[in-house]
Amino acid sequence: MKTAILSVGTELLFGQITNTNTVYLSQQMNMLGFDVMYHYTVGDNLGRVAEMIELAFKDCDMVLTTGGLGPTQDDLTKEVACKVMGDELVMMDDVLDEIIAYMKTLRRGEITENNRKQAVLPSRAEVFHNDAGTAPGFALEKDGKYIICMPGPPREMTRMFEMSVLPFLQRMSEDVIYYRMIRTFGIGESKLETVLLDLINDQTDPTLATYAKEGEACLRIASKRKTKEEAKEAVDKMLSRVQEIIGDYIYSCDDEELVQVVCRKLMEKELTISSAESCTGGMFAAALTEVSGISKSFQRGLVTYSNEAKMDELGVSSDTLEKYGAVSEETAIEMAEGLKRVSGSDICISVTGIAGPGGGTREKPVGLVYIGFIYGDKKLCKKVQMRNVSRKWNRHYALLSMLDIINKNI
């Protein structure tokens, strides 16, 4: 079934908020077997919203809308959808009771007239409960065309989709799509596609698709079958073939971030870790501490940005700094060794490099990074030479490189 996603809200056009709803809905709809053909964004204008819905229906069987269901005067999606689908608005007492009950949980006092308006819905609508807000959603059909309207706030929209819209859509889909997202590091998207070209060229079902992500590459393996069990079996067989070819680069087959994989390993193995960072300025420590429960493993993170800090905090030799420079294998190793003395952690990792855009030389160009690593009897230093894309990208890739070293060596 061809589908369009229509995001309603002038704030989206002004760039005041990021439209994460479209990304989420596209992923979910494709997984269910619905073909997403178009993304539209329109402001809070009655005529333009109607034009976009009618335009989408020229080539699509279903339109998903987000936004414009709130209590204010510029929330017009419901009225437009009702008109386009040839229905009339009526007060739904059971929906009003739900809104009143929700407002009581917030201790907001008496329900206002504009909140009461949110219980006025198309008479033929299948209503979707909103347990995270006051705006109910709904689905409406006419002549084989469907419109599904959901609230704009991502928390409300995703909750409604998972609890109500998803079961509604599953009743409409004869087939089930099962997919796995494979995450890799150390291989670019173009090379990933090249080494898997024989599988990609021969694909019918399952299908393979590569995606670029900042600093890494992803591969989606998807199958569309009559049952989830059949689709899963087909995907798993293809995954085995993929692993034979690029297994060294794969760090997750379940769409996990590299930091999640590393933190889970650290906690499962009950290993402690500390970090000493120069060019990343604490990004490694910040990334780890985003993961719940990592306090069991992460002990300390030192930002030793200057040469003085490297000497004072980690005991890096002034002779080493003078002879080899702050950005060198020797300095990175001494940083890790000093960290080991200071922290006593099972794993000690250090990083020093040139993030740019300035500071590079012919011998040490921008993007050069050295990562020191100590774990038990293992002591190593990895040299990473990144493309001079931007300071932000270089620092992010250095962080991924640190995580990759840990992932492959514990």
Side-chain angles (χ1 to χ4, degrees), residues 139-160:
L140 198 56
E141 183 269 342
K142 180 186 178 184
D143 300 331
K145 302 280 189 178
Y146 292 84
I147 188 165
I148 295 176
C149 299
M150 293 169 284
R155 183 173 67 93
E156 296 182 34
M157 188 278 298
T158 54
R159 177 73 174 166
M160 181 179 292

Side-chain angles (χ1 to χ4, degrees), residues 128-369:
F128 301 136
H129 174 67
N130 184 352
D131 62 4
T134 59
F138 61 89
L140 198 56
E141 183 269 342
K142 180 186 178 184
D143 300 331
K145 302 280 189 178
Y146 292 84
I147 188 165
I148 295 176
C149 299
M150 293 169 284
R155 183 173 67 93
E156 296 182 34
M157 188 278 298
T158 54
R159 177 73 174 166
M160 181 179 292
F161 185 90
E162 292 167 1
M163 300 301 295
S164 301
V165 179
L166 181 58
F168 176 83
L169 293 171
Q170 286 173 330
R171 299 200 306 263
M172 301 174 61
S173 179
E174 295 181 357
D175 297 315
V176 175
I177 287 187
Y178 177 84
Y179 77 91
R180 297 186 73 171
M181 189 67 78
I182 316 306
R183 304 284 289 266
T184 72
F185 180 75
I187 183 171
E189 184 189 12
S190 58
K191 185 177 180 181
L192 179 63
E193 183 183 69
T194 299
V195 298
L196 296 175
L197 205 55
D198 288 344
L199 296 181
I200 293 172
N201 287 340
D202 293 339
Q203 66 180 328
T204 51
D205 185 297
T207 58
L208 291 83
T210 58
Y211 302 88
K213 195 176 186 300
E214 189 174 14
E216 52 185 290
C218 306
L219 175 73
R220 190 186 74 166
I221 307 174
S223 178
K224 187 175 184 179
R225 303 292 171 104
K226 292 298 181 183
T227 67
K228 181 179 179 180
E229 290 73 22
E230 291 176 345
K232 182 178 185 302
E233 182 181 0
V235 168
D236 289 344
K237 284 183 179 179
M238 179 60 75
L239 175 57
S240 295
R241 297 178 66 186
V242 168
Q243 288 174 317
E244 291 175 1
I245 301 171
I246 61 164
D248 290 343
Y249 298 104
I250 295 173
Y251 70 79
S252 173
C253 296
D254 297 305
D255 200 21
E256 297 172 288
E257 298 285 345
L258 184 51
V259 66
Q260 294 174 310
V261 174
V262 167
C263 286
R264 185 177 65 249
K265 276 190 174 184
L266 291 170
M267 291 185 283
E268 287 176 352
K269 294 175 180 287
E270 298 183 345
L271 295 172
T272 57
I273 185 170
S274 291
S275 60
E277 301 178 65
S278 184
C279 61
T280 51
M283 290 174 63
F284 178 87
L288 260 64
T289 53
E290 283 288 330
V291 178
S292 177
I294 196 59
S295 59
K296 297 176 183 177
S297 294
F298 186 63
Q299 291 192 316
R300 71 185 70 191
L302 302 179
V303 178
T304 53
Y305 212 70
S306 66
N307 285 352
E308 289 76 16
K310 292 177 179 65
M311 291 187 288
D312 295 344
E313 302 291 336
L314 301 171
V316 175
S317 166
S318 59
D319 292 339
T320 298
L321 291 167
E322 184 175 346
K323 183 176 181 179
Y324 300 105
V327 181
S328 64
E329 176 179 345
E330 290 78 10
T331 295
I333 287 294
E334 286 194 23
M335 288 173 67
E337 290 172 337
L339 183 63
K340 181 70 175 178
R341 290 193 299 271
V342 170
S343 68
S345 297
D346 297 322
I347 299 168
C348 290
I349 191 163
S350 65
V351 62
T352 180
I354 305 169
T361 64
R362 176 179 293 183
E363 294 77 20
K364 296 182 179 182
V366 170
L368 175 63
V369 165

